[in-house]
Amino acid sequence: MSAFIVLGAQWGDEGKGKMTDYLAESAEVIVRYQGGNNAGHTVEVDDKQYKLRLIPSGILHEDKLNAIGNGVVIDPKALFEEIDYLEDLGVKINSNKLIISDRAHLIMPYHRTLDALKEKARGKNDIGTTGRGIGPCYTDKVERCGIRVCDLMHKEVFKDKLEQNIQMKNEYITKVLGGEALNFEEIYEEYLKYAERMRPFVQDVSVRVYDEIKANKKVLFEGAQGMLLDIDYGTYPYVTSSNTTAGGVSNGVGIGPNMITNAVGIAKAYTTRVGKGPFPTELFDETGEWIREKGHEYGVNTGRARRCGWLDLVILKTTTRVSGLTSFAVTKIDTLAGLDKIKICVGYNFNGKVIDYFPASLEDLAKCEPIYEEFDGWDESVSNARSYEELPENAKKYLKRIEEFTGTKVSIVSVGPRRDQTMEIAEL
Ligand code: GDP
Ligand code: IMO
Ligand code: MG
């Protein structure tokens, strides 16, 4: 029995899509458990590039089952746009390859409207969301007025819930936020079409995944976003609205934690962040600019430039603790190739003490000064390495330091965007 998690160990965009696609080769079922189409993954297979948002990154394999769990928020418009986009690229999608939880919540047009209007109302305190309606949809889930996939499958139930929601949302949108009212009929008609297209994919994902694990199938749980965007353990309020950490799997799929055997944290060899919020090792100089250009650090979803900085081991240690990581997959060490000196943060000076965890208060975090160790760099030959032995000595030292500091081994090293630019150096 083997069920393992692949999750982001930093602020997202660590290369989870690439690693999931790679690891899906040896899995039979790939399951998304949280987030929605705020995620943006670029996956390269041979000479083709695919951009995935909502659909699990196992979809590029012919014979794998991909599941969207109840913890995911689904925008049906985005879902079908993504299915059409993938089919245009020759990826076949049917209910043997993709299933959707009947308990997942739906992103409605008013969630997108609310996301935009609330960000505007926050003014200089905006979060910098992706504008996909993620936060407002999870808000309705917790408020208990959300609309689930199973509701959409029942025309009358859906109609009632939509009527109630539209009425309340329109009051709030027009009277509090100064926006324009949404039209019930238009949304109702639009979603009834989605309902019929979605119906063949809908089932109880908890039951299905449980049965697959019990039948000794290998299941991969694919996280979106990353550790520090977690609603509880991230840099709140500059976070997303779901549990991106390993704890999210159990609730977001409906299986017991004892069924999960391993958790692999995907860590970029440096750190990036999109949107606002604290970032202790951020670089504001030309090295930061150099990393952004060399690593093509621009968002898949919104095209925004990603903020770049040195690798922060305080973050990786936090992920190890919160998500119970069994190993790291380190990506993009090729991007750092060519730098003479590379820095790693190994703690923060905070009020005269050295700490190696993230304080809850952003005011305290602002006082934290990173403590750096400096490493000698490596050259471009790193992209051609296909085994640990072929890696430059300085890159090996860098990886060793990650293992030493976090107490967690590195199991995979990625030296380029393609599937074949990946080496497994230890068990997951
Ligand atoms: P995700 O959201 O975690 O899946 O990451 P993104 O896809 O948003 O961003 C990671 C980017 O880095 C993508 O464009 C990947 O193709 C690319 N990538 C992944 N691993 C590597 C690597 O080892 N080296 C390089 N150069 N690019 C990589
Ligand atoms: P992947 O899966 C990086 C960030 C947004 C914003 C905050 C809240 O590609 O790693 P939201 O729209 O979720 O309410 O935005 O979270 N964010 C991401 N940053 N990668 C992601 O996904 C992200 N998904 C959301 O930029 O700061
Ligand atoms: Mg991404």
Side-chain angles (χ1 to χ4, degrees), residues 7 51 63 66 68 72 152 221 228 257 275 315 319 360 383 391 395:
L7 54 83
K51 310 261 182 207
D63 52 346
N66 292 268
I68 298 181
V72 176
L152 183 63
F221 299 102
L228 286 171
I315 299 177
T319 313
S383 311
L391 287 172

Side-chain angles (χ1 to χ4, degrees), residues 11-13 16 38-41 127-130 224-225 229 239-240 274-275 304:
W11 271 292
D13 304 325
K16 298 176 293 294
N38 49 346
H41 314 304
I127 294 165
T129 72
T130 59
Q225 290 83 49
L229 291 169
V239 292
T240 192
V274 209
R304 289 179 292 180

Side-chain angles (χ1 to χ4, degrees), residues 14 23 56 106 113 139 148 150 154 181 222 243 272 324 402 404 417:
E14 299 92 346
L23 289 166
L106 293 170
T113 304
T139 302
R148 296 180 298 164
C150 58
H154 295 97
E222 177 189 10
N243 282 116
T272 62
I402 296 175
E404 253 168 35

Side-chain angles (χ1 to χ4, degrees), residues 142-325:
V142 177
E143 161 78 11
R144 293 154 297 181
C145 64
I147 303 182
R148 296 180 298 164
V149 169
C150 58
D151 302 324
L152 183 63
M153 296 299 114
H154 295 97
K155 209 172 161 182
E156 289 311 312
V157 175
F158 178 67
K159 189 166 183 246
D160 278 356
K161 294 203 173 195
L162 182 63
E163 263 168 358
Q164 276 181 37
N165 268 290
I166 290 275
Q167 199 196 353
M168 285 176 65
K169 292 323 190 262
N170 274 347
E171 286 274 306
Y172 184 48
I173 286 172
T174 55
K175 295 190 179 150
V176 179
L177 297 170
E180 277 183 36
L182 284 98
N183 182 290
F184 167 80
E185 282 301 329
E186 269 174 33
I187 300 175
Y188 183 58
E189 292 304 323
E190 182 188 348
Y191 273 66
L192 286 189
K193 287 189 196 123
Y194 297 144
E196 289 325 303
R197 206 172 163 195
M198 201 183 281
R199 198 176 298 281
F201 298 100
V202 178
Q203 58 175 272
D204 190 320
V205 165
S206 162
V207 171
R208 180 67 185 270
V209 171
Y210 180 82
D211 288 347
E212 296 282 347
I213 296 175
K214 283 288 183 191
N216 279 323
K217 298 279 172 58
K218 205 164 174 186
V219 179
L220 186 169
F221 299 102
E222 177 189 10
Q225 290 83 49
M227 162 73 223
L228 286 171
L229 291 169
D230 182 89
I231 186 78
D232 286 294
Y233 276 94
T235 43
Y236 191 91
Y238 299 99
V239 292
T240 192
S241 300
S242 63
N243 282 116
T244 59
T245 40
V249 175
S250 222
N251 289 330
V253 182
I255 54 138
N258 58 336
M259 299 192 99
I260 300 162
T261 47
N262 302 60
V264 185
I266 314 301
K268 212 181 266 191
Y270 47 95
T271 313
T272 62
R273 156 158 226 180
V274 209
K276 290 175 72 175
F279 181 172
T281 63
E282 184 167 11
L283 285 163
F284 298 97
D285 58 6
E286 52 196 32
T287 307
E289 188 61 35
W290 184 91
I291 293 175
R292 180 177 310 115
E293 292 313 314
K294 180 126 189 273
H296 308 291
E297 295 296 352
Y298 293 90
V300 174
N301 226 326
T302 55
R304 289 179 292 180
R306 294 174 181 153
R307 299 155 63 192
C308 298
W310 296 121
L311 181 67
D312 187 342
L313 292 184
V314 177
I315 299 177
L316 299 196
K317 195 166 195 168
T318 305
T319 313
T320 291
R321 185 184 80 242
V322 177
S323 283
L325 295 187

